[in-house]
Amino acid sequence: MTWNISDKELGALLDQMTLEEKTTLVTGHGLWRTSANYRLNIPEILMTDGTYGVRYSIEQIDGPQDSDSQLASFLSVVNADLSRGVEGAFGSTRPATCFPNGSSFACSWDVGLAHELGEALADECQAFGVNILLGPGINIRRTPLAGRSYEYYSEDPILSGEIAAAVINGMQKNGVGASLKHFACNNSEVQRTTMSSVVEERALREIYLAGFERAIRKSNPWTVMSSYNRLNDVQAAENRWLLTDVLREEWGYDGVVVSDWHGIKDRAASMNAGNDLDMPESAARRQELLEAVKDGRVSAKALDRSCLRILKLIRTARNGLRTNITADFRKHHALSQRMAVESIVLLRNQAGLLPLDGTKLQRIAVVGAAAREPVIQGSGCATTRPTEVDIPLDEIRRLAPGATVTFNVVSDFAPDSAGEQAALTNIDAADVALFFGNTEVGYDGEGSDRTDLNLHDGQDELIDRLSRRNGRFAVILATPDAVAMPWVNQTAAVLAMFFGGQGAGRAVAEVLFGVHNPCGKLTVTFPVKLEDTPGFLTYPGENNRHIYSEGIHVGYRSYDKRKLAPQFPFGFGLSYTTFDYSNIEIDLHSIDEADTFTVSFDVTNTGKRAGKEIAQIYSRPHNPRLIRPLRELKGFVKFELQPGETKRVEVTIEARDLRYYDCDHRRWLLDAGKLTIEVAASSRDIRLERTIDVEAPALPSSILTVESQPATVLEQEFARKRFGAFLKEQLDLDDEETVKLLEYCGGSFLGIYNTVAWVAGDKISKDAMAAFLDSLNREMGRAIGKAA
Ligand code: BGC
């Protein structure tokens, strides 16, 4: 049933609602619905998880909506033990396509494909009658240990934001709303509902919020989900700075903020902060809100504002409903295979071991349970019951019909065990050995971080022993995020699939045998060891506070700055062909922050196979005013080239994306001066560069006060001149005396007032200098404003 109702009528409806009806409207009904109002004919809408597939729980959605059965059912999912298998944990869930998980699929760097994913998810939602899918999740993958990193895209906000926007647009253009989550800083599962992510403002804005801002600007998700954690000591769902000052006032977001499930602790505070909808239904919190409105702790206006937003959401959602849509699961399975093909990352390929030639190989030794029972997804609320699952072992056999394919599972992991001996016999005799490794199934996921970067249960030691026996040894990994690879130099090839979804089995076999050329690239840095990860010293926090000690230096930004060699860098991935880059041009030689410019360059496929390349654009500031990363991703493009083909590739960059946030000025700024734009095959493989000029006001490194060191006051020519004029007038100096005094001041480590007063005595008034510096600050601030 659609709901055609004008804005005016919505307003009239609101006027007719009692206080009780309003507090009911801003509280969910059961686990997955908004509350209908039968008296006023307000329909309900239905939402469900998740981030890479639709988890439609028959029990929870179609069953009784009483709170006891709902809570028990919810907890059983969130705490799901996937070692019992997806069917065991989610027996009463409707089959739906399990697409590659976020950390896998993001490696495609393919926004077109992200849009297709959104469309497919929307179709499945429409077929099930679901109005809002609770995804995508785009928290920054700050540590590879994070339990939910398998759902999230990247350690970089531009990449995360671009992919999220495409997924959301794909969904919403097809009538299904998104819930962009978890806002903000759910970067670990350790004590996830009480831990405070303590993050300095610059890091928040430049890293942790930037992807959200981008996705919101480019796709306007119908809802944003506040996260479970506290942010700078305030519960995210109750954080007014986050939900109102930044999200609504600065970014202009006008959709609905929905809480994470039972994420609200103080309903009145959450309403005042701007968290509109409380999910799921909680009679206790509804009552709390009712009382808070009655006694004036929450204003009627705030409640009305949230009601109106929710009414508008219900209208949009009801009008997006498409009847008679049947999800084409076969087509979606093919899409999941294609997405996996685009996302698999070839990390190592010594002496061209891959691709394998299925017609020539006689014996292939496949080892590892994951070849027969593929690890396709993580565990938690996003877990999807797949419609079908491709089995790598079967696919390998299909692609090498003439070969003997042996299969061993080494389950006891003891050296010299019978299982290992059997595997060794097969490996010794094989033309190639394929080891399918994985992290622990069902442990890493929602609710718990990993505790190390190892593969599950002795697999690292096993690879170490087995790979010594056959020089043609390839490892295929299914992991949520980065793992350590102490054995890597002994192997001939490594493929990272992450959790590749239900079509990954076929995709990986086809990549191994060269049906497809691998073309994914990493969206996070793979460290050599856990100790190398940024933030290692303060992870996972203590006493309920987790200090993000690395600040803005997240992921590659940190490795680059510390000159630390990663195992594999951000943006890295091999192909069966090679690419040359040449002829960089930038259409503007000088930019200001309102500009948009285009970087163009030639890329040639210099190998013998068709292949896809992902070119990345980084910016490198020359003399930054504030501490900056060495380089930062600003754009990317994926394209295909036939052997020998050259393409002119273009990437458009908005200069606003080159800015940094200055907490003193409370503004995004560009530095005047030189900036180098780099074209790269990875963050550690810069192929071309061009330096441009940036036009922006030249500012001192901080706001000026009477305590500022003279060097800071005199740092910029503009301020130096003004300050000289001020001294000249105050102290009645001639030009030469003024220059001398400025020179004398420059060498002092004392505050500027004390320095001047040392020679000028009481002829200089502190108040006058303070007033002058204030006006100078304002003058320079206006200059920034003008440039913006
Ligand atoms: C998760 C959310 C999810 C919600 C509903 C929470 O535990 O953090 O991501 O959408 O449950 O299942």
Side-chain angles (χ1 to χ4, degrees), residues 17 22 242 316 375 384 395 618 623 696 711 763 768:
M17 290 175 84
K22 289 178 182 173
L242 182 70
T316 314
V375 180
T384 307
E395 300 295 329
Y618 294 87
N623 292 304
K763 277 195 233 131

Side-chain angles (χ1 to χ4, degrees), residues 32 49 55 74 78 134 148 181-182 192 225 228 260-261 381 446:
W32 302 111
D49 285 310
R55 182 173 63 83
F74 172 68
V78 172
L134 301 172
R148 300 191 80 167
K181 67 190 189 183
H182 303 91
R192 66 171 164 157
M225 188 189 290
Y228 275 139
D260 200 345
W261 268 227
C381 67
E446 185 171 338

Side-chain angles (χ1 to χ4, degrees), residues 639-659:
F639 48 91
E640 183 163 21
L641 290 173
Q642 298 304 314
E645 185 187 356
T646 299
K647 256 187 197 155
R648 186 95 191 135
V649 181
E650 289 189 349
V651 184
T652 299
I653 306 283
E654 289 182 80
R656 72 195 301 279
D657 288 337
L658 307 178
R659 298 175 306 176

Side-chain angles (χ1 to χ4, degrees), residues 635-775:
F636 56 91
V637 58
K638 187 172 192 176
F639 48 91
E640 183 163 21
L641 290 173
Q642 298 304 314
E645 185 187 356
T646 299
K647 256 187 197 155
R648 186 95 191 135
V649 181
E650 289 189 349
V651 184
T652 299
I653 306 283
E654 289 182 80
R656 72 195 301 279
D657 288 337
L658 307 178
R659 298 175 306 176
Y660 60 96
Y661 190 79
D662 184 305
C663 297
D664 250 8
H665 288 284
R666 313 203 61 71
R667 276 204 157 98
W668 290 92
L669 293 176
L670 270 182
D671 282 341
K674 303 269 180 215
L675 178 92
T676 294
I677 298 293
E678 302 173 328
V679 176
S682 85
S683 62
R684 290 286 175 106
D685 185 4
I686 312 301
R687 300 293 184 89
L688 305 168
E689 60 172 56
R690 175 65 47 100
T691 296
I692 55 176
D693 289 312
V694 177
E695 284 168 23
L699 298 170
S701 44
S702 59
I703 294 269
L704 305 176
T705 70
V706 287
E707 319 290 349
S708 299
Q709 288 204 336
T712 309
V713 180
L714 306 177
E715 201 176 331
Q716 300 298 344
E717 202 41 43
F718 175 82
R720 189 185 181 93
K721 272 198 189 130
R722 282 278 199 287
F723 191 69
F726 166 76
L727 289 183
K728 189 172 169 189
E729 192 214 308
Q730 292 283 311
L731 301 175
D732 200 15
L733 307 174
D734 63 24
D735 286 348
E736 202 179 320
E737 288 163 340
T738 308
V739 169
K740 279 208 177 121
L741 185 53
L742 288 178
E743 266 166 26
Y744 149 82
C745 286
S748 163
F749 67 89
L750 299 174
I752 187 86
Y753 177 73
N754 277 344
T755 304
V756 176
W758 182 255
V759 288
D762 59 3
K763 277 195 233 131
I764 189 94
S765 119
K766 198 185 219 171
D767 287 349
M769 191 185 283
F772 165 76
L773 291 173
D774 273 354
S775 74

